[in-house]
Every structure is written in structure tokens, then in C-alpha cells.
Amino acid sequence: MVLSQSLLAPMGCSPAIWRGISAYVLKSRGRMQKAFDIGLDSLFAHKDAATPESCFIADAPQRGTFYLETFGCQMNEHDSEKVAGVLLSRGYRQVDSVEAASFILYNTCSIREKAAQKVFSRLGELRETSSEPKKIGVLGCVAQQEGEKIFHRSPWVNLVCGSASYSKLPELLEQLEAGEKRVTGLDTDTDETFETELTRRDNPWRAYLTIIEGCDKACSYCVVPFTRGPERSRSSDSILRELRQLADLGYTEVQFLGQTVNSYADPSSRKMKFSELLRAAAEMPGMRRVRFTTSHPRDFGRDIVEAIESNDRICNHVHLPVQSGSTRVLRTMQRTYSRDEYLEKIAMIHESKKHIAITSDIIVGFPGETEREFDETLGLMEAVKYEGIFAFKYSPRPNTPAQSMADAIPEEEKSRRLAILLELQRKIQTEANEKLVGDFFEVHVEGKSRRENQWSGHTSCYRVVNFSSPQSDLLGSYVPVKVNSATPNCLIGEHAP
Ligand code: SAM
Ligand code: SF4
């Protein structure tokens, strides 16, 4: 956990102290991130964003305790880091259990039905277990999608707020504090981005930084344009200013976030292109790695490949979701590119003088997807040889055009296709990783195993590497590692001299 100041001086504590706390928390948790996980759980996994330490701002008025749980993607995780910053700066203290909290918040995901259902089961549990009055807040995509209906279904909820209204959170909290029972922030017609004075970051070395919010792409299966509102980019000046502050706090890696990060459109007169922003970020003194996710194929150009080639600090990894290998399915998905056009982008990346890892998202069982069209997806995977994928069974979502499309694929058939696809990806990853045995990688160390002298981290291309080292304090450092063996999901090696 790190509290990083975005615009103002930190209240009650110096950055050095915050970093100290964060390093301690990370060590005590020993949490390791897992990349290129071809299972589904890694995207669904909810994460307890609360901290084990009693985290509060000393000179703010003390207003009670909050527990914040996050579901869904990295953007939600980072939104929660900013929401926690808002609450801390108002004088709330963060705690790590529902029982210890007077204010319980769920930051929700509705990308698939299963993710949305989890929130209602959490809300049900609260009614059953809570003996004393607590304030309850539902944030994020389910809040936006269900709106005030949440109050009817779970009358014990007090706050419902979608991500496009997060900049209004201080006002909404003020209303709650003044005794209002039901408060909402559900407007999506906004050009505002969510910038906070204080952000409570989970990872002390790699910082998320959202550069573009919302989405204008309108894929026929997806709720994001409804739940997150229209595309809004932050100005390049404000992004680079925050990056400078992150570097000053000791962060060495940044991950630019956006649902379509490469559709970034600088609203300032500077009109920086996305690839120029990457280059400028890589020049920031102190920053050693710049990542970005998720890229949309339509807006992916050669200039991004050239930026990656120009500076080793820009990570050689592109997450470029294809969704399907069939042009007909892509058309009904409204993805705005054909199979061939996607493969042209892949060729551009494969032809680079640098090896650039490519990962993807794939949906199986979209309405009307035939066996032959599914085979086209398998064929495309063989051609691209993704370093990792996130694969999903199509899930019908409210308000989306795909929800009313004919020829729904039965659940068992979706499961069968998913299993075949995951098995193929396992084979591709096994072969690719085995070829790396004997190679050397620079690893950013982010985790320590319970086993003595065992460490874990990521390469620039975001492969997970587990390795041994005689050294006793490597967290946060960058070390050379020789790969001795490989599994489908990680490389195993030793600290190289
Ligand atoms: N904006 C990113 C893009 O277009 O590539 C993806 C954002 S979305 C949070 C992550 C992934 O969830 C998508 O790439 C897609 O594979 C998957 N997804 C979205 N809606 C879905 C649905 N209705 N059913 C199954 N998977 C879905
Ligand atoms: Fe959803 Fe498509 Fe936007 Fe990605 S690009 S968030 S899949 S609408």
C-alpha cells in the first residue's frame, strides 16, 4: 500500500514514510502477481484492496472506518486506489474487514453476468451478518448499470455511484455525512476525468495511471460504453506531472491504463499522440519501465511499434485483443476490423527488430458462431502464437445489441469450445516458454516466496519469472535472471551474475 500524492502535499505524512509502510505491507503479504494466466479466474478474481495497517490521514477530521473490495479489471483496481485516496483525505480510516468498518464499499464489475452476480451475493451476506448500522456503497459498473434499482433490491444500500461520477464523490460523501439515506452519482454525460489529490496505491513499485476513461467503440457484446461513459483523455501535462510525482516517490514502473489506451487523444493544445506520450514517459528520470493496456487493434499503428523499438524502457509487450478469428463474427461484434486487418497489425509487430510479446482476449460462443468460425479462431491463435490470452465464454449483457441476437450457443457448447481453446493456448505457451530455457532476462522483482531465497517478478514482456537468489533483499530491484526451466505459465531460473 502506498499513498501517493497527486496534486497536493501529502497530509500528515511524508512520501518516504508512506513508501516505508508500503514496503512493509508488501513483505508481510508476500503477494505475487500472476501474468499470462490462461484460466478465467485471474480476470474475475476480486481483490481485497484494504490494508492490514491502520491507514489514515492524521490531520483530517476523523469520520469512521471504511472497507473497500474491488471486482474486475485493472482499471477498477486503480479506481479503487483513487476512491480510497478520496476517503482517506476526508478523514476515514481504511480497515481490512467488513466487521471493523462503519462504511463498506464494493467497486463492481458487470462485464460478464457472473461478475455482476457476485456483488448481489456480497450485499445479501451483509444483511445477514450486520448487527449494527453501517453505511453501504456500491460503486462502478454494476452501480451504473442497475442504478436506483439497487436500492429496491437491497434497501440497506446508501450510495450508488458509477465510475463516470467519481469526480463528484466528495459531494456525495458530504450528503451521506449530513445524514441523507440514499445518494446517487449516475450521470455518464461527462467530459471529466477522475483525478484525485491523493491516491492509495497497492504496489510500491509499479503504479497504474489511467490516461483515458470510458469507451466510444460500441462492441455489440459489451457494457463498458454504457457503464463507463464516453472516451475522455487526460491532458498530457497532467499525466506527465503525475508521472514525475510517481518517480519522485520511488516508483520505477508505470502502467498506462485505458479501455482503449491507444485511442488516447490529448485534449490540450500540445496534442501529443499516444506514441509520443510513451516516448516522453520513458524519458522521465527514475522510470525504468512504461507499460500500457489495453490497445484496440483499429487504433494500433506503426508509430507505437517504433516507440517500443526506440527505447528499452517502453516494455516490449502489447495486449491486442482479437475477440474472434472470423471476419463474419468480428463484423457482428462490431469490432471495426477484419481478420486480415488484424493480422496486418500482428505482422507489423512480428516484423519489428525487437521481440514484442503479444497477448489477447478471446470470446467463444458468440451468438451464431459456427464450428468453422470457431476453428478460424484456433487457426489465428496458431498463426499469432500469443504469449498469453484471457478467454471468455460469451455472456449476454443488458442493453447490448448482442443480447437479442439469434442463434445463442448452448452453455455446454461454449464450455467445450473454451476447453479446446485453452488447451491449444497451453500447448503454444509451453512450446514458446521451453524455447527460452538458457536465455537471460531482466526481472523486476515484485514478490518473495515463503520458501527461502525464492523470488518472483516480471520481464519487460510481462512473463512471470520465479527464481532463486542468495541475496536477501531484492524486492523492487531489477536483476538479471538465467532461465533454467519453464512451465506454460512461468519461467524458472536463477539470479545471474
Ligand atoms: N477494451 C478492451 C478491448 O476492447 O479489447 C477490453 C475491455 S473488457 C473489460 C475485457 C474483455 O472482456 C474484452 O476484451 C472481452 O474479451 C471480454 N468481454 C467483454 N464483454 C463480454 C461479454 N459480454 N461476454 C464475454 N466476454 C466479454
Ligand atoms: Fe468494450 Fe469494445 Fe470498448 Fe473494449 S473496445 S471496452 S470490448 S466496447
Side-chain angles (χ1 to χ4, degrees):
M1 175 278 296
V2 166
L3 276 170
S4 59
Q5 148 213 26
S6 296
L7 296 170
L8 294 179
M11 289 164 280
C13 207
S14 74
I17 294 173
W18 291 128
R19 276 192 55 73
I21 295 169
S22 69
Y24 172 76
V25 171
L26 208 90
K27 269 186 201 161
S28 65
R29 282 177 164 186
R31 199 173 66 224
M32 290 185 204
Q33 294 230 340
K34 204 172 163 202
F36 295 178
D37 187 338
I38 59 172
L40 297 177
D41 290 349
S42 49
L43 276 196
F44 280 127
H46 70 266
K47 194 173 61 121
D48 161 12
T51 61
E53 309 313 301
S54 180
C55 177
F56 64 101
I57 305 292
D59 55 6
Q62 300 306 301
R63 294 189 199 267
T65 50
F66 74 96
Y67 170 82
L68 172 58
E69 184 171 334
T70 309
F71 301 81
C73 64
Q74 290 158 323
M75 289 202 70
N76 262 13
E77 285 180 26
H78 184 41
D79 283 345
S80 284
E81 293 179 338
K82 291 191 276 188
V83 167
V86 170
L87 286 156
L88 289 165
S89 55
R90 287 189 72 77
Y92 289 88
R93 187 159 58 84
Q94 187 162 14
V95 293
D96 67 350
S97 71
V98 165
E99 294 71 33
S102 58
F103 191 7
I104 298 158
L105 295 117
Y106 294 119
N107 187 2
T108 61
C109 169
S110 63
I111 200 85
R112 283 163 291 274
E113 196 185 350
K114 210 165 128 190
Q117 279 168 355
K118 274 192 185 172
V119 180
F120 287 106
S121 80
R122 279 288 190 288
L123 291 174
E125 285 163 22
L126 276 186
R127 186 169 70 161
E128 279 156 30
T129 55
S130 184
S131 50
E132 60 203 77
K134 295 179 190 269
K135 287 198 176 66
I136 316 285
V138 180
L139 309 175
C141 294
V142 174
Q144 190 64 54
Q145 190 179 289
E146 299 294 318
E148 298 195 0
K149 278 188 275 175
I150 293 177
F151 293 134
H152 303 302
R153 194 162 164 180
S154 308
W156 50 96
V157 170
N158 308 96
L159 169 70
V160 175
C161 180
S163 66
S165 300
Y166 283 162
S167 52
K168 298 197 178 65
L169 257 184
E171 294 158 41
L172 302 178
L173 291 170
E174 214 171 289
Q175 291 168 25
L176 275 183
E177 288 151 10
E180 283 192 39
K181 293 277 175 277
R182 288 181 175 176
V183 173
T184 55
L186 293 169
D187 198 6
T188 50
D189 183 16
T190 177
D191 53 7
E192 283 181 16
T193 52
F194 183 34
E195 298 185 32
T196 50
E197 292 174 357
L198 207 67
T199 300
R200 203 269 303 120
R201 289 188 154 86
D202 277 335
N203 184 319
W205 303 290
R206 172 150 45 96
Y208 291 136
L209 208 164
T210 299
I211 65 166
I212 172 169
E213 293 179 18
C215 182
D216 285 347
K217 298 291 185 293
C219 302
S220 63
Y221 51 82
C222 184
V223 288
V224 169
F226 307 102
T227 58
R228 288 191 166 268
E231 275 175 15
R232 289 104 61 204
S233 295
R234 276 178 70 176
S235 78
S236 51
D237 277 353
S238 119
I239 293 167
L240 293 172
R241 195 164 55 241
E242 187 168 351
L243 195 63
R244 147 87 55 211
Q245 287 160 347
L246 289 169
D248 289 347
L249 280 164
Y251 285 94
T252 57
E253 186 170 329
V254 68
Q255 182 156 6
F256 286 157
L257 296 179
Q259 291 297 342
T260 54
V261 73
N262 58 326
S263 308
Y264 175 75
D266 185 0
S268 73
S269 56
R270 228 169 148 184
K271 296 272 168 265
M272 241 185 185
K273 284 171 67 177
F274 174 65
S275 57
E276 291 167 343
L277 185 67
L278 288 179
R279 285 175 189 252
E283 292 300 328
M284 185 66 70
M287 276 296 153
R288 287 188 59 160
R289 285 186 179 176
V290 179
R291 301 191 177 282
F292 54 98
T293 198
T294 293
S295 295
H296 191 283
R298 192 196 71 185
D299 297 337
F300 193 89
R302 194 174 297 281
D303 59 323
I304 300 175
V305 176
E306 286 165 0
I308 295 172
E309 288 169 344
S310 74
N311 193 325
D312 284 341
R313 292 178 180 182
I314 304 178
C315 290
N316 56 339
H317 170 214
V318 176
H319 186 60
L320 198 68
V322 66
Q323 312 298 357
S324 166
S326 149
T327 295
R328 192 202 65 82
V329 175
L330 287 170
R331 211 171 36 241
T332 53
M333 285 179 165
Q334 291 168 205
R335 281 295 285 182
T336 70
Y337 52 84
S338 65
R339 174 192 174 97
D340 286 350
E341 282 161 347
Y342 180 84
L343 286 173
E344 279 166 25
K345 307 279 173 163
I346 295 294
M348 194 194 286
I349 301 171
H350 279 165
E351 283 158 14
S352 167
K353 53 189 183 226
K354 242 184 196 176
H355 173 75
I356 301 174
I358 308 171
T359 53
S360 192
D361 296 346
I362 298 179
I363 296 175
V364 299
F366 190 73
E369 182 190 64
T370 63
E371 191 68 34
R372 252 189 65 206
E373 288 165 342
F374 173 62
D375 283 346
E376 286 187 76
T377 300
L378 300 179
L380 183 133
M381 287 167 62
E382 297 266 22
V384 178
K385 299 223 182 299
Y386 291 113
E387 264 87 347
I389 60 164
F390 293 110
F392 310 101
K393 290 191 275 186
Y394 166 70
S395 167
R397 304 310 296 129
N399 305 321
T400 59
Q403 191 193 23
S404 48
M405 283 180 187
D407 302 324
I409 308 292
E411 271 314 297
E412 317 81 73
E413 179 57 16
K414 287 188 211 168
S415 301
R416 188 187 72 83
R417 292 182 190 180
L418 183 66
I420 294 171
L421 188 137
L422 291 176
E423 189 46 42
L424 171 61
Q425 183 60 22
R426 179 172 289 276
K427 185 174 123 285
I428 291 170
Q429 285 182 204
T430 305
E431 283 169 13
N433 284 357
E434 279 172 358
K435 283 192 193 137
L436 300 175
V437 173
D439 284 4
F440 289 81
F441 285 95
E442 183 191 66
V443 174
H444 184 192
V445 187
E446 290 173 278
K448 187 179 188 322
S449 153
R450 256 173 251 141
R451 283 197 293 148
E452 192 66 11
N453 299 333
Q454 294 293 317
W455 304 88
S456 177
H458 289 98
T459 62
S460 169
C461 61
Y462 214 53
R463 280 195 161 85
V464 172
V465 181
N466 297 325
F467 68 99
S468 57
S469 168
Q471 291 189 27
S472 60
D473 192 8
L474 290 178
L475 282 174
S477 60
Y478 291 79
V479 302
V481 172
K482 179 170 182 250
V483 177
N484 294 330
S485 60
T487 73
N489 289 324
C490 79
L491 304 174
I492 299 150
E494 62 186 303
H495 195 157

